[in-house]
Amino acid sequence: GAGVSQSPSNKVTEKGKDVELRCDPISGHTALYWYRQSLGQGLEFLIYFQGNSAPDKSGLPSDRFSAERTGGSVSTLTIQRTQQEDSAVYLCASSLGAGHITGELFFGEGSRLTVL
Amino acid sequence: KQEVTQIPAALSVPEGENLVLNCSFTDSAIYNLQWFRQDPGKGLTSLLLIQSSQREQTSGRLNASLDKSSGRSTLYIAASQPGDSATYLCAVWGGGTSYGKLTFGQGTILTVHP
């Protein structure tokens, strides 16, 4: 596609359920990033992939959070046993090569998660 | 741990004013610094990237400066327009073990009224 695509755009779930958020990066982009934006908290780094590997998983808030990327393309962020504090907008971004060098970072519009 | 602070948190100005948004960061060992714009309900759009060896970057009515040693950056917007209304985010790319990690400030909410 022309841009970074995220799905679902909105997800309402009950506390304790598992959710999967999907990110489809721009074709050919090797780097993929996940961020979380909570009300009043700003943007929080979650995880970064270069190809299929994640050199930095330090931002995942707990072991309920996991992410994978297969085929160097689509990534899935999974939250198990969701809690109310997981409610946020989850943003994905991709870049061709190293985003920290080019600054050419493209963001999707996010997946808004609401945990009741 | 890198922390990024933006001042002011919100700013409301009449159209045509020149304005300055401020950003400071605690760890000067950054790779690059980047300014983004976010419109309500949308993702982020990159405005300017300043490499750590540079002092400033310009794009149209926007000028961003970087003083890495003092941990400060400013975004200058000339002749503001209502279409500039958005949240402006400053972010630093980590160096060393934080390679690939972008740390954001809380943002400045800008409103430009006609």
Side-chain angles (χ1 to χ4, degrees), chain A residues 34-36 44-47 56-61 77 90:
Chain A
W34 281 100
Y35 285 85
R36 176 167 75 172
E44 175 188 6
F45 170 81
L46 296 178
I47 192 168
D56 190 348
K57 299 182 181 180
S58 63
L60 293 176
L77 177 69
Y90 291 81

Side-chain angles (χ1 to χ4, degrees), chain A residues 46-84:
Chain A
L46 296 178
I47 192 168
Y48 153 65
F49 287 94
Q50 182 61 45
N52 289 335
S53 64
D56 190 348
K57 299 182 181 180
S58 63
L60 293 176
S62 76
D63 58 8
R64 296 187 294 106
F65 287 72
S66 63
E68 65 175 13
R69 189 179 187 197
T70 55
S73 182
V74 172
S75 177
T76 302
L77 177 69
T78 301
I79 309 173
Q80 295 179 310
R81 304 181 303 282
T82 51
Q83 303 293 311
Q84 289 183 331

Side-chain angles (χ1 to χ4, degrees), chain B residues 11 13-21 61 75-80:
Chain B
L11 185 61
V13 299
E15 182 176 6
E17 275 205 6
N18 301 325
L19 50 97
V20 175
L21 308 182
R61 294 181 294 107
L75 178 67
Y76 177 83
I77 303 176
S80 57

Side-chain angles (χ1 to χ4, degrees), chain B residues 6 10 12 18 20 23 34 42-44 47 55 59 66 68 75 80 85 88 94 100 102 109:
Chain B
Q6 291 186 246
S12 180
N18 301 325
V20 175
C23 172
Q34 196 160 359
K42 301 291 185 182
L44 278 66
L47 297 173
R55 300 284 290 183
S59 176
L66 173 64
K68 185 180 170 185
L75 178 67
S80 57
S85 299
Y88 290 80
L102 193 59
I109 301 171

Side-chain angles (χ1 to χ4, degrees), chain B:
Chain B
K1 177 186 173 186
Q2 178 74 269
E3 292 184 1
V4 180
T5 303
Q6 291 186 246
I7 295 173
L11 185 61
S12 180
V13 299
E15 182 176 6
E17 275 205 6
N18 301 325
L19 50 97
V20 175
L21 308 182
N22 296 292
C23 172
S24 61
F25 46 95
T26 55
D27 184 352
S28 62
I30 64 168
Y31 199 90
N32 292 328
L33 183 143
Q34 196 160 359
W35 284 91
F36 293 86
R37 167 185 173 138
Q38 185 175 31
D39 293 285
K42 301 291 185 182
L44 278 66
T45 302
S46 176
L47 297 173
L48 289 164
L49 173 77
I50 308 177
Q51 299 193 5
S52 60
S53 58
Q54 296 177 320
R55 300 284 290 183
E56 66 177 329
Q57 276 286 349
T58 298
S59 176
R61 294 181 294 107
L62 304 179
N63 175 275
S65 67
L66 173 64
D67 184 342
K68 185 180 170 185
S69 61
S70 68
R72 295 180 188 278
S73 176
T74 59
L75 178 67
Y76 177 83
I77 303 176
S80 57
Q81 303 171 356
D84 295 332
S85 299
T87 297
Y88 290 80
L89 294 156
C90 170
V92 296
W93 287 98
T97 56
S98 296
Y99 169 84
K101 179 177 177 178
L102 193 59
T103 303
F104 285 85
Q106 298 264 22
T108 294
I109 301 171
L110 174 64
T111 305
V112 181
H113 47 87

